[in-house]
Amino acid sequence: MQSKTGQPVSSSSKQPAPAPKGLAKVEADPEKEDDFYKLISLPVPEDIILEVGGMATLPDGSLAICTRRGEVWIVSNPYISGTERPTYKRFASGLHEPLGLAYKDGDIYVTQRSELTRLRDTDGDGRADSYDKIFSWPLSGNYHEYSYGPTFLPNGNMLVTLNVGWSNSLGHGVSLVPWRGWTLEITPDGKMMPFAAGMRSPAGYGMNAAGDFFYTENQGDWVGSGRISRVEKGDFLGNAESLRWTGLPGSPLKLKKDEVPNTGEPLYDVAKRVPALKAPAVWLPHGILGISTSGFMSDNTNGKFGPFANQVFVGDQGQSILSRVDFEKVKGEYQGVVFPFREGFSSGVLRMAWGHDASMFVGMTSRGWSSTGKELYSLQRVVWTGRTPFEMKTIHAMPDGFEIEFTAPVDPELAANPESYKVTGFNYKYHATYGSPVINRGGCPIRGIVVSKDGLKARLVIDSLRLGYIHEITTPGVRSATGRALLHNVGYYTLNNIPDGEKLAIAAAAPKHDHSDMAMASTSSAPPVSTKSTSPKGKPVTKAGAAKTAVSSAAKRVTEMPASWGEPDYTITIGTKPGLKFAPEQFQVKAGSKVRVVFNNEDDMLHNFVVVTPGTAVQVGELAMKLGLEGQEKNYIPQSDKVLHHTNLLQPNTNETIYFIAPDKPGDYTYECSVPGHFYVMQGKMKVVK
C-alpha cells in the first residue's frame, strides 16, 4: 500500500493589528501560531478513506476512529515515534454513518444514525465480532438526521444528541420522527430517558473540567450564530421544532412550539419569559470564529499542552480551525470567553482526542460539508513546542467591567492606556429564520484601567455593558514587558450575569465623540437599498436614469431589468448543491452582452452570488471576512472594485435575480459565494468570449 506522507504544516496566523497612534509598533517579524503549536499530518494509506466521524484514545495509546463510511479503525503508533509509522487495522465495518465514538471498559461504543451500538472483541483478534444494539431510535430517511455521541455520565449512563432534519420545501429544520432535536440518556442495558430538547445540529459534545455536560450548536433556524450551552435535564436549548414530542411519555418538558416567541429579540431576553429556555454559555461570532461549530474537548493535560489547563478547545468544520474557550460560573450560571487558537488544518475539523503524550489528535472530514482545508479527510496532531505564546489567557467578568489575564507580564504603560483596547457589545436575533445578522451593536466606553503589580492582569472599568450580550474585546495596543505583540488580540465574552463585589473607585471620564460607535449603534438588519431606485450617490433617479445607472460599473446589484434592454441576451439560472457547490459551475456569455442571472439558493445554509475580476476570488473573500461583525448585515460584500456584480445574502429556499452587462474584456471571471469559509471552494466560472 502506498501512503500519503505527512509533514509539519505551518499556518500563516492572522497578523496583530497595528498599535494605536503613539503606542509601540508591532515587531518586524511577528510570531505565528506555528511557533507554539505545530501541525503534524499522519500518513493515511491511500486505500483507507478516513473521513473521521468519531475518535477516542485507547489505554495503549492507539486511536480508535469511526468513519462516515461506516468503518472503525485502530491506529497504532499514531505518535510516529522513532522510525515506526502508524499502522491501521479495521476493527468494524457496515455501520450507518457513525459520527461519535467512545471507549469504556474494553468496549467501543459508536452512535450510528439510528442506533447506539457496542462493539466487542470477544476472541482477542483485534476485530469486533459482537455488534450489540444498546438502543435505537426512528429515522424518517431525511439526510440531515445526523446522530452524535455517546458521552458517558458518572452514573455509567450515556448521552447521545440528535439533529433535526431539514426541509428544502419549507426552508427550515423539521423533527419528523420522535426525539429528533433532543439529547437522550441511555442506560447500559438499553433503557432510554429523554433528557433535553431544542438542539438543531449538536455536532460537538462533552464534559468540561467540572464534569458538566456541554454541546456545541451550528447556525441555522432559531440559531443566530454558533454557540455552546450547558445541558441539564429538562432544558430547552432553543430550536422549537423538537418540541413536537414533549407530549410523549417520559418527556421532562411540557413546552409547546407555539409557546416560543418568534420575535427576533435576543435569546437571553426571551428566556426571561420562557423559563425552560436556557441562554448559551458562550456565543461564537459567525464568520469570525467559524461557521460550523464541531468538536468539544477539555484540556486535562495539567499544563502539558501549554498555559490553558482546564480550558476547552472547540473545532469548526467549515473554517478548519480550533478556538479556545474558558468558562466561569457567575451566580450559578455558566458564561465565558472564546479566543482564536489555531488555523490551517488540512480538512474540516470534526473531532479531537488527547494522546498519551499530551498532544492533540484532530480528525477531519469535508465530503458534503466543504471546508477551507482542501483535503477530503485528514488526521493531524497538534504538538506544543514548549514555548508559551503571549496571549490573553482568559477574561473574567467583574462588577464594573472585565479583567484580562495574560500569559506573560505586560508593558504597564501600554496596558494602562485606554487607547490600547476597544470593547463592543452586540447580539443576534432569536427567530425561526436561518441565522441572524449582528444586531444592537454599540461601543462600550472604557472609564479606567488598573494593571496588577505583577503585570499579568489588566482590569477594565467599562460602561454600557449589557446582559445577554457578546462583548468583543480587542487589545491592539497591548505589548508584553519585553515588547511582544499578542498572538491573538481579540476575545468574545458572553455576559449572562454580572458578579457581585466591590467596584473600583474610578470617576467617569467625559466620553469621546466616536463616529464609529455612533454608526454601529444602529441595528442594520435591513438589506442594502437596491440600485433600481437609487443612484450611486443616493439621489432619486428617473426610470430612464435608473436604466443608465443599471448598466454603469457602479451598479453592482441591479434587481430590475433596465427598461432600455428589451430582453436579455442571456438568462442564466444558477442553483446550489450540497458541499458548497454552484450548479452549473460554468457558463459562457459574449463580451458586452446583457445578462440576467437567476440565483436559487436550494441549500440548507446562507449563500450569495458574487462575480469578481479574474484571479481575485480568494482576495475578495478575505476582504469579506475582514468585515467582522458587519459581515452578515453587509451581505458579505466588501467595498472593492474587484467585485463586479452580486446578489444579497439569501436564506435557504429563496432566490434573487440580478441584471448586468458582461465585461468588454474576454476572460474567465469567477463567481463565488463570499461567505467566510465558503469562498475558498464555492466558486464557478463565467467565460466571457468575443
Side-chain angles (χ1 to χ4, degrees):
M1 291 187 300
Q2 296 179 339
S3 64
K4 300 178 182 178
T5 57
Q7 300 294 330
V9 179
S10 65
S11 167
S12 56
S13 172
K14 294 180 176 66
Q15 303 301 311
K21 189 175 181 181
L23 298 179
K25 295 181 179 179
V26 176
E27 55 196 33
D29 187 17
E31 295 172 323
K32 299 180 176 62
E33 291 172 347
D34 196 58
D35 297 329
F36 308 97
Y37 291 94
K38 294 284 186 183
L39 300 186
I40 301 175
S41 297
L42 276 68
V44 179
E46 291 184 349
D47 61 346
I48 299 176
I49 302 175
L50 202 74
E51 297 176 334
V52 179
M55 187 163 58
T57 307
L58 303 182
D60 65 358
S62 59
L63 290 177
I65 297 175
C66 65
T67 76
R68 296 174 62 200
R69 304 278 173 151
E71 299 173 319
V72 176
W73 292 87
I74 306 299
V75 184
S76 301
N77 189 35
Y79 309 94
I80 319 181
S81 58
T83 59
E84 296 182 26
R85 311 298 286 172
T87 59
Y88 294 75
K89 184 174 183 178
R90 186 161 55 193
F91 181 76
S93 60
L95 304 172
H96 190 181
E97 196 171 20
L99 290 174
L101 179 148
Y103 172 86
K104 186 175 176 62
D105 298 334
D107 296 327
I108 290 174
Y109 295 78
V110 294
T111 299
Q112 305 185 61
R113 271 187 176 258
S114 65
E115 180 182 301
L116 174 60
T117 308
R118 182 181 62 231
L119 304 175
R120 179 171 288 171
D121 175 13
T122 60
D123 57 12
D125 66 351
R127 299 182 187 276
D129 40 49
S130 175
Y131 294 60
D132 300 319
K133 181 183 77 173
I134 304 298
F135 182 79
S136 64
W137 45 86
L139 289 176
S140 73
N142 187 284
Y143 81 96
H144 204 253
E145 289 179 341
Y146 305 112
S147 304
Y148 314 96
T151 299
F152 277 91
L153 295 170
N155 64 7
N157 294 345
M158 293 163 277
L159 297 177
V160 298
T161 56
L162 310 180
N163 262 39
V164 294
W166 178 263
S167 170
N168 282 323
S169 61
L170 297 175
H172 61 71
V174 287
S175 186
L176 299 172
V177 289
W179 313 122
R180 279 287 152 191
W182 284 69
T183 295
L184 307 180
E185 181 177 358
I186 301 170
T187 67
D189 59 0
K191 180 182 178 182
M192 188 277 287
M193 296 158 284
F195 191 79
M199 286 79 180
R200 177 186 176 271
S201 184
Y205 50 87
M207 303 288 188
N208 69 346
D212 294 321
F213 180 67
F214 288 79
Y215 92 105
T216 68
E217 184 63 277
N218 285 271
Q219 187 194 56
D221 44 320
W222 298 101
V223 188
S225 187
R227 61 198 190 203
I228 307 169
S229 300
R230 182 190 179 187
V231 186
E232 298 175 277
K233 189 164 187 175
D235 282 343
F236 170 55
L237 283 309
N239 193 286
E241 295 300 322
S242 63
L243 298 176
R244 180 178 177 186
W245 312 110
T246 55
L248 293 183
S251 170
L253 285 153
K254 300 302 179 186
L255 188 67
K256 300 298 181 184
K257 181 180 176 180
D258 59 8
E259 297 175 306
V260 180
N262 184 20
T263 59
E265 301 167 81
L267 189 153
Y268 178 91
D269 294 338
V270 177
K272 294 177 182 178
R273 307 195 303 275
V274 182
L277 178 60
K278 176 176 281 186
V282 170
W283 287 92
L284 285 76
H286 191 77
I288 299 173
L289 287 182
I291 55 175
S292 301
T293 318
S294 59
F296 177 103
M297 188 172 70
S298 179
D299 184 349
N300 60 7
T301 66
N302 296 316
K304 295 178 181 179
F305 192 70
F308 309 118
N310 295 328
Q311 296 190 12
V312 168
F313 295 98
V314 174
D316 190 84
Q317 193 279 329
Q319 286 192 218
S320 303
I321 61 173
L322 286 176
S323 297
R324 175 171 58 88
V325 176
D326 196 24
F327 297 113
E328 63 178 345
K329 263 189 175 180
V330 178
K331 297 183 178 178
E333 297 180 349
Y334 278 107
Q335 57 191 42
V337 63
V338 57
F339 304 98
F341 177 70
R342 190 62 166 94
E343 60 181 19
F345 290 92
S346 55
S347 188
V349 174
L350 191 65
R351 297 287 174 246
M352 300 92 76
W354 291 115
H356 283 191
D357 64 347
S359 65
M360 180 194 293
F361 290 98
V362 180
M364 291 163 269
T365 177
S366 70
R367 173 177 58 91
W369 310 327
S370 292
S371 61
T372 59
K374 303 300 183 184
E375 299 295 327
L376 179 64
Y377 53 87
S378 184
L379 180 61
Q380 291 182 295
R381 286 172 68 214
V382 184
V383 179
W384 182 39
T385 65
R387 294 182 59 195
T388 298
F390 179 47
E391 293 271 43
M392 287 185 277
K393 183 177 181 180
T394 190
I395 298 175
H396 294 294
M398 304 301 288
D400 48 8
F402 297 108
E403 182 175 75
I404 305 173
E405 183 177 346
F406 299 92
T407 59
V410 295
D411 178 312
E413 182 178 354
L414 295 176
N417 188 337
E419 295 297 314
S420 293
Y421 308 86
K422 185 174 183 180
V423 181
T424 303
F426 64 97
N427 219 318
Y428 295 101
K429 293 182 177 182
Y430 175 58
H431 57 180
T433 304
Y434 193 105
S436 169
V438 166
I439 63 170
N440 304 338
R441 188 161 47 96
C444 303
I446 298 172
R447 197 193 312 162
I449 301 167
V450 175
V451 180
S452 64
K453 291 182 179 180
D454 61 7
L456 291 174
K457 297 179 181 179
R459 182 165 172 179
L460 281 59
V461 178
I462 300 172
D463 289 333
S464 303
L465 298 178
R466 289 172 285 178
L467 289 177
Y469 276 66
I470 309 100
H471 293 83
E472 180 187 62
I473 302 168
T474 59
T475 54
V478 174
R479 300 292 180 268
S480 75
T482 58
R484 298 167 68 191
L486 285 156
L487 185 62
H488 303 99
N489 63 11
V490 63
Y492 295 87
Y493 192 101
T494 301
L495 188 67
N496 291 328
N497 282 299
I498 295 175
D500 297 326
E502 184 178 353
K503 298 182 179 181
L504 297 184
I506 295 177
K512 293 184 178 180
H513 192 59
D514 190 333
H515 291 280
S516 63
D517 282 351
M518 291 172 62
M520 69 185 180
S522 63
T523 302
S524 48
S525 57
V529 178
S530 170
T531 52
K532 67 184 180 183
S533 60
T534 307
S535 75
K537 293 185 179 180
K539 297 179 180 180
V541 294
T542 63
K543 191 171 184 179
K548 183 176 181 180
T549 299
V551 296
S552 73
S553 61
K556 297 183 178 183
R557 175 177 170 261
V558 179
T559 58
E560 184 176 297
M561 187 174 71
S564 61
W565 275 25
E567 287 295 328
D569 297 315
Y570 299 91
T571 294
I572 310 295
T573 299
I574 301 289
T576 58
K577 296 191 299 184
L580 301 182
K581 296 181 184 296
F582 287 110
E585 295 183 341
Q586 180 175 308
F587 66 88
Q588 180 174 298
V589 296
K590 286 188 176 181
S593 60
K594 296 173 288 186
V595 181
R596 172 169 54 196
V597 170
V598 181
F599 178 47
N600 297 313
N601 182 13
E602 300 149 325
D603 203 0
D604 59 358
M605 60 184 75
L606 301 170
H607 294 302
N608 59 18
F609 172 87
V610 186
V611 181
V612 301
T613 55
T616 64
V618 171
Q619 183 179 352
V620 169
E622 290 176 345
L623 289 173
M625 287 183 67
K626 291 179 180 178
L627 291 173
L629 298 179
E630 296 181 324
Q632 190 159 330
E633 69 187 53
K634 291 188 173 181
N635 297 285
Y636 294 114
I637 304 298
Q639 290 291 328
S640 171
D641 58 4
K642 297 173 176 58
V643 175
L644 299 180
H645 310 286
H646 66 86
T647 66
N648 267 350
L649 188 65
L650 298 190
Q651 289 284 327
N653 200 42
T654 61
N655 62 76
E656 183 168 280
T657 300
I658 60 171
Y659 301 82
F660 58 86
I661 299 295
D664 292 329
K665 183 178 179 180
D668 293 340
Y669 293 78
T670 301
Y671 52 91
E672 67 175 333
C673 173
S674 63
V675 171
H678 294 194
F679 62 84
Y680 289 108
V681 292
M682 193 169 180
Q683 298 181 13
K685 185 184 297 183
M686 180 177 74
K687 297 183 71 69
V688 176
V689 298
K690 291 184 179 180

